[in-house]
């Protein structure tokens, strides 16, 4: 009646009925656990921000070091600071420009940390926006030979957040969280 794999893989219940979920899970195999999955695919992130974050987590952004190792590029130095090899780690976390941008965002959010799921999602969306803007700034340096200031970067991030204000606020948002969001976006 059933295929041989049915009995070998215990796809049935105790009374011998086939369970679709068990068959599906067996067919799909083991799932990869992504501890950063909720951060990357946060519902308040714009898709372009999520995509850049996702590529970064998989080390798939075509930055100079990766292009150099592929034999496409002859220089592997960071185009912004020019001091170190341009890797994803360097671009987003070690480069002086990125550190200044991160400090600017943290200063903007200073004294505004509050508990609550919505506020956590907004902070994650702001950080995803920061990564996207740093990536775009890097591309501008490579293609247009213009290094933006950290003040300009911070104003871009604030502007993107203000444009998404309606997304951040919903009818289910608590009053305390709503006040926090309003104060954050007004500053």
């Amino acid at each position: 009646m059933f295929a041989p794999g049915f009995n070998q893989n215990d796809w049935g219940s105790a009374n011998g009925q086939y369970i679709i979920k068990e068959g599906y899970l067996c067919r799909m195999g083991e799932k990869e656990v992504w501890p950063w999955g909720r951060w990357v695919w946060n519902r308040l992130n714009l898709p372009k921000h999520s995509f850049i974050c996702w590529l970064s987590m998989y080390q798939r952004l075509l930055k100079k070091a990766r292009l150099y190792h592929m034999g496409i590029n002859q220089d592997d130095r960071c185009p912004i600071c020019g001091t170190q090899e341009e890797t994803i780690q360097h671009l987003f976390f070690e480069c002086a420009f990125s550190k200044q941008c991160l400090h600017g965002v943290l200063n903007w959010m200073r004294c505004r940390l509050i508990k609550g799921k919505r506020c956590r999602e907004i902070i994650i969306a702001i950080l995803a926006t920061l990564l996207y803007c740093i990536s775009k700034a890097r591309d501008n340096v490579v293609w247009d030979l213009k290094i933006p200031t950290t003040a300009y970067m911070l104003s871009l991030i604030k502007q993107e957040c203000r444009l998404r204000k309606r997304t951040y606020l919903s009818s289910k948002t608590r009053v305390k969280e709503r006040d926090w969001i309003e104060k954050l976006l007004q500053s």
Side-chain angles (χ1 to χ4, degrees):
M1 184 168 168
F2 292 109
F6 173 76
N7 294 328
Q8 295 169 352
N9 294 318
D10 296 324
W11 291 348
S13 64
N15 64 2
Q17 288 184 326
Y18 174 73
I19 301 173
I20 293 174
K21 180 181 177 183
E22 294 297 322
Y24 175 79
L25 291 175
C26 181
R27 182 78 175 134
M28 292 304 295
E30 299 254 343
K31 285 192 223 176
E32 185 179 343
V33 177
W34 301 329
W36 42 263
R38 285 192 171 188
W39 182 80
V40 169
W41 303 115
N42 177 14
R43 65 189 177 120
L44 296 180
N45 287 356
L46 291 177
K48 62 184 181 180
H49 299 172
S50 291
F51 184 67
I52 291 294
C53 293
W54 179 70
L55 287 175
S56 300
M57 294 301 169
Y58 273 113
Q59 302 287 319
R60 292 294 180 216
L61 278 175
L62 290 175
K63 299 304 173 200
K64 282 190 170 184
R66 188 158 186 254
L67 294 171
Y68 179 77
H69 292 296
M70 293 168 68
I72 296 172
N73 203 353
Q74 296 178 359
D75 178 28
D76 67 346
R77 296 282 147 211
C78 174
I80 297 174
C81 68
T83 59
Q84 294 183 20
E85 180 182 53
E86 186 198 31
T87 61
I88 291 172
Q89 179 72 25
H90 171 75
L91 179 65
F92 292 128
F93 305 108
E94 296 168 357
C95 185
F97 176 76
S98 300
K99 285 181 181 179
Q100 290 173 354
C101 291
L102 178 62
H103 288 303
V105 168
L106 293 176
N107 284 337
W108 173 48
M109 293 189 308
R110 188 180 55 204
C111 299
R112 292 185 180 88
L113 298 178
I114 191 170
K115 291 181 181 179
K117 182 181 176 184
R118 173 67 68 179
C119 296
R120 245 187 335 269
E121 288 176 338
I122 291 171
I123 291 169
I124 289 168
I126 291 170
L127 293 176
T129 304
L130 172 66
L131 287 185
Y132 176 80
C133 288
I134 290 172
S135 180
K136 290 291 286 182
R138 179 257 179 214
D139 293 343
N140 286 339
V141 171
V142 170
W143 299 110
D144 300 334
L145 302 175
K146 295 179 183 177
I147 299 175
T149 64
T150 53
Y152 175 74
M153 294 291 291
L154 189 58
S155 69
L156 273 180
I157 293 166
K158 287 180 180 181
Q159 180 183 5
E160 288 225 13
C161 292
R162 287 184 188 115
L163 290 174
R164 292 184 292 173
K165 179 179 178 181
R166 199 174 295 158
T167 307
Y168 293 159
L169 297 172
S170 69
S171 60
K172 296 179 183 178
T173 306
R174 295 183 308 181
V175 174
K176 192 174 185 181
E177 289 178 337
R178 183 179 291 274
D179 291 343
W180 179 84
I181 294 166
E182 291 287 346
K183 285 180 187 174
L184 178 68
L185 297 178
Q186 288 175 358
S187 61

